Amino acid sequence: MSDITAVVQEKYGSFAASVTAGQGKTSCCGSGGCDDPITSGLYSPEEIGALPAEAVQASLGCGNPTALVDLRPGQVVLDLGSGGGIDVLLSARRVGPTGKAYGLDMTDDMLALARENQRRAGVANVEFLKGTIEQIPLPDASVDVIISNCVINLSADKPQVLREAFRVLKPGGRLAVSDVLVRGEVPADVRRNMELWVGCIAGALRDDEYQAGLEAAGFEQVQIEPWREYAAADAEAYFRDAGQSCGDLTAADGRFFSGFVRATRPGAAA
């Protein structure tokens, strides 16, 4: 297990345990609280109202991938890094009883929490799998749609993740993920301070690197759509309130963002 994988596993396991213990929502991303700049305001009241509170509290994403793609009854959906299961449960309702929604996670505490959320939600067409997103435990060409929510950027081997996603998708299958990306080069000291502010930025690829990686894996029709930018002024205010110095973060303005990433595996859908 790589050092990065071990750190991510420990961090998300501790988060799941805190939710299970009833300590409420904290932040995986560094600034803390429910209104942090990554995880706040991602789901509609209607979506939240249809789910167990623990599934909402355990949401650590940077977007709402279920809003990125049309899901039809009977389809098979896979969520890479499914956490507490919020996106799996929402997808399962859309594909209906003739469809299936898989959630893949490597953390035992998160899987236990997700399965308990499934039980509370009363959703039968869901299966949570233990494994890594670099080695997906599903057969070739077995999935119609892959979603993911601010997880691929945490992988130590992103090209392998994209190759695996391509492998398990059926011809004509679609990738629709939310992730954190960077526009252009950012000075190392500025990036380091931005990572201290919002930990989920760590590991983020440049948008052109992300597109090139998808195309190298075999995907076509790649689209990257920014939807939430992280402002240098917000980071500076965070450090100022904490009584810490962060230097000049102007070079980060408009560079870091949550984006919707879409791509298609070539071939005719069945």
Side-chain angles (χ1 to χ4, degrees):
M1 181 184 294
S2 73
D3 291 343
I4 294 174
T5 301
V7 169
V8 171
Q9 190 168 31
E10 180 180 1
K11 187 173 187 178
Y12 281 71
S14 297
F15 183 87
S18 71
V19 172
T20 301
Q23 295 174 12
K25 184 176 177 71
T26 59
S27 173
C28 73
C29 297
S31 61
C34 297
D35 296 322
D36 73 82
I38 292 268
T39 63
S40 61
L42 304 180
Y43 298 92
S44 70
E46 292 76 20
E47 289 171 318
I48 291 173
L51 296 171
E54 291 78 5
V56 178
Q57 291 169 358
S59 172
L60 300 175
C62 59
N64 180 355
T66 65
L68 301 183
V69 62
D70 292 330
L71 297 178
R72 298 187 295 275
Q75 288 186 319
V76 178
V77 181
L78 168 64
D79 182 12
L80 300 180
S82 48
I86 185 170
D87 296 316
V88 179
L89 297 176
L90 290 172
S91 297
R93 295 186 186 280
R94 292 173 62 187
V95 300
T98 60
K100 183 76 175 275
Y102 289 102
L104 175 63
D105 207 280
M106 65 179 179
T107 307
D108 288 329
D109 285 337
M110 235 1 145
L111 287 166
L113 175 61
R115 289 167 180 149
E116 177 60 17
N117 287 334
Q118 176 190 358
R119 185 193 67 78
R120 290 175 174 168
V123 180
N125 58 329
V126 162
E127 183 176 352
F128 289 101
L129 307 171
K130 183 174 182 179
T132 68
I133 61 176
E134 294 84 6
Q135 297 291 334
I136 299 172
L138 287 174
D140 296 356
S142 58
V143 174
D144 295 294
V145 178
I146 287 179
I147 61 174
S148 186
N149 202 344
C150 203
V151 170
I152 295 175
N153 68 302
L154 300 174
S155 172
D157 191 350
K158 299 173 184 65
Q160 174 63 16
V161 175
L162 301 180
R163 288 191 294 267
E164 276 289 274
F166 186 89
R167 178 185 68 80
V168 301
L169 276 174
K170 300 175 184 178
R174 295 167 294 162
L175 178 84
V177 307
S178 299
D179 222 334
V180 178
L181 300 97
V182 187
R183 294 188 187 95
E185 297 291 343
V186 179
D189 60 331
V190 172
R191 180 169 181 133
R192 185 166 53 251
N193 280 318
M194 291 294 287
E195 289 175 2
L196 289 172
W197 174 51
V198 180
C200 294
I201 285 174
L205 291 175
R206 294 199 317 264
D207 49 4
D208 58 338
E209 292 175 327
Y210 212 124
Q211 177 159 350
L214 285 164
E215 291 171 347
F219 285 97
E220 296 180 345
Q221 302 176 43
V222 177
Q223 298 177 330
I224 297 176
E225 176 189 346
W227 82 277
R228 176 180 284 177
E229 295 184 349
Y230 307 117
D234 294 334
E236 290 167 349
Y238 165 74
F239 284 108
R240 186 169 58 251
D241 292 346
Q244 301 175 17
S245 174
C246 63
D248 184 2
L249 297 183
T250 304
D253 238 6
R255 295 295 186 92
F256 296 93
F257 65 94
S258 289
F260 296 146
V261 182
R262 300 177 178 89
T264 301
R265 174 170 173 165

